Amino acid sequence: MGANDAFLLDSYSQTVVEVVERVAPSVAAVHIVPRQANGARGSGSGFIFSSSGFLLTNSHVMRAGQLKRLTGQVRCHVSLADGARFDAQWVGDDPDTDLGVLSIDGNGRGALPHAPLGRSAAVRRGEIAIAIGNPLGFEHTVTAGIVSALGRSMRTSTDRLIPDVIQIDAALNPGNSGGPLLNSRSEVIGVNTAVIAGAQAICFAVAIDIAHWVIPQLLRNGRVRRSYIGVVGSTAVLHRRAAVAYDLPQTHGVRVMSVGAGSPGALAGLQADDLIVGLDGIAIDSVDRLHQTLDESRVHRVCTLKLLRGSLSPNLTYLSVRPVERAEAS
């Protein structure tokens, strides 16, 4: 090994060590324990992002032990790298983005160590990615690698699509879920969430920019508010002649398969086989795009649906719909 190689290796090692020393005190092992011996358990990782004791983790970590549903029947505790142990309370979670927030009481310790949240929009492929967590129960384990890809998407337990996911090659295992993904400046750029079974070095983290959007809503409401029009649909190809005739910018839309009785869609006049191609001027080219567009801003607000109706010679049709708030995922 040449002198330059040794210097590069030493610089890389020094970077990782410095990041770990700064952030590790804020990383927690999360354990959800039932009061009854046969109850469901949950475990994973998390990290404190506020000196007042708010902790970010994965929704699936919290729900594995049914923390919200069985409040009073289960107990959640977290432990930090210095051995400190705290009881934690459910604040809110969002299964659609697989993020959740817990709170802990510092028990008079003053300001708790916390990790700074960065911005994932600035992340570049190839940069250092450092993960701290509790894989397979081995608490406060450090792994490092690089950002392999950006802009991946991933399905959650609610079948919704997380559109901005970071792929990394750092070695993650079950138990890393909820832990921080860090850059070389000790900033959190993602929340580790998934490992591909049977694959090597293909792991995913929810981009921290999504957490910037989710956290305030969880602190305020305990959930993320989204709107709902009551249709079941599938992504379908637009007939080229219809797309050209009506100057549609996309190649796909959402084919309505069924409309819930009494739903906003039914009240607006939506019918099975309608092809939704727009909402409030936004091109709708997939079921996921429709889900993403039906956000909190459209709850109880009159919106304009753009659709094609008729199979042989479809007509461009506009309907007014007033979405309601989607019931919280169970």
Side-chain angles (χ1 to χ4, degrees):
M1 179 182 294
N4 288 338
D5 293 333
F7 172 77
L8 289 173
L9 178 61
D10 201 51
S11 297
Y12 176 85
S13 300
Q14 187 64 34
T15 296
V16 174
V17 168
E18 289 176 355
V19 170
V20 172
E21 288 178 345
R22 290 172 186 166
V23 179
S26 67
V27 180
V30 178
H31 300 282
I32 301 172
V33 183
R35 298 189 186 276
Q36 298 178 347
N38 60 351
R41 293 173 176 264
S43 63
S45 306
F47 60 95
I48 302 169
F49 64 88
S50 162
S51 60
S52 56
F54 289 110
L55 181 145
L56 189 63
T57 185
N58 283 149
S59 171
H60 78 257
V61 170
M62 295 166 64
R63 294 199 173 214
Q66 303 181 70
L67 179 60
K68 181 188 176 186
R69 185 179 302 171
L70 299 178
T71 299
Q73 300 178 47
V74 296
R75 184 167 69 90
C76 179
H77 63 261
V78 302
S79 55
L80 302 182
D82 64 1
R85 188 181 178 96
F86 306 92
D87 287 332
Q89 290 76 43
W90 180 91
V91 173
D93 74 310
D94 179 44
D96 288 352
T97 57
D98 199 21
L99 296 174
V101 173
L102 299 167
S103 68
I104 62 176
D105 185 348
N107 296 325
R109 285 179 39 145
L112 290 165
H114 59 284
L117 303 184
R119 288 289 180 180
S120 49
V123 174
R124 297 292 180 265
R125 285 189 303 166
E127 72 173 90
I128 294 175
I130 302 162
I132 308 177
N134 308 289
L136 303 174
F138 294 98
E139 296 190 0
H140 306 104
T141 297
V142 178
T143 60
I146 62 168
V147 173
S148 303
L150 298 167
R152 299 296 197 209
S153 58
M154 185 179 67
R155 293 284 171 195
T156 66
S157 60
T158 60
D159 202 36
R160 297 295 178 108
L161 192 72
I162 305 176
D164 189 12
V165 174
I166 301 171
Q167 181 183 329
I168 56 175
D169 73 347
L172 302 183
N173 288 282
N176 274 112
S177 294
L181 183 69
L182 304 151
N183 62 17
S184 59
R185 296 180 296 280
S186 305
E187 299 168 334
V188 180
I189 56 173
V191 181
N192 299 317
T193 192
V195 178
I196 301 298
Q200 295 184 7
I202 299 179
C203 305
F204 299 102
V206 178
I208 202 64
D209 285 355
I210 293 179
H212 278 292
W213 175 72
V214 168
I215 288 171
Q217 298 184 69
L218 296 184
L219 295 178
R220 184 172 61 249
N221 303 316
R223 67 187 189 281
V224 174
R225 299 181 69 213
R226 293 181 174 87
S227 51
Y228 164 85
I229 60 174
V231 302
V232 175
S234 62
T235 303
V237 177
L238 288 179
H239 196 287
R240 178 172 174 75
R241 282 181 295 180
V244 171
Y246 295 115
D247 195 25
L248 299 177
Q250 75 261 44
T251 58
H252 293 74
V254 173
R255 178 75 64 189
V256 176
M257 299 170 64
S258 64
V259 185
S263 68
L267 297 175
L270 266 175
Q271 302 172 8
D273 288 331
D274 284 344
L275 189 64
I276 299 172
V277 295
L279 178 63
D280 284 347
I282 299 170
I284 301 299
D285 57 4
S286 67
V287 171
D288 295 310
R289 179 67 65 191
L290 181 59
H291 285 162
Q292 292 160 13
T293 306
L294 287 168
D295 58 12
E296 178 183 11
S297 70
R298 291 180 171 80
V299 175
H300 302 309
R301 181 166 68 81
V302 176
C303 304
T304 301
L305 274 173
K306 182 179 180 180
L307 56 95
L308 295 175
R309 176 168 288 173
S311 56
L312 295 178
S313 182
N315 296 314
L316 190 64
T317 303
Y318 293 89
L319 298 176
S320 294
V321 62
R322 188 189 295 269
V324 298
E325 185 172 356
R326 182 166 70 90
E328 183 183 11
S330 60

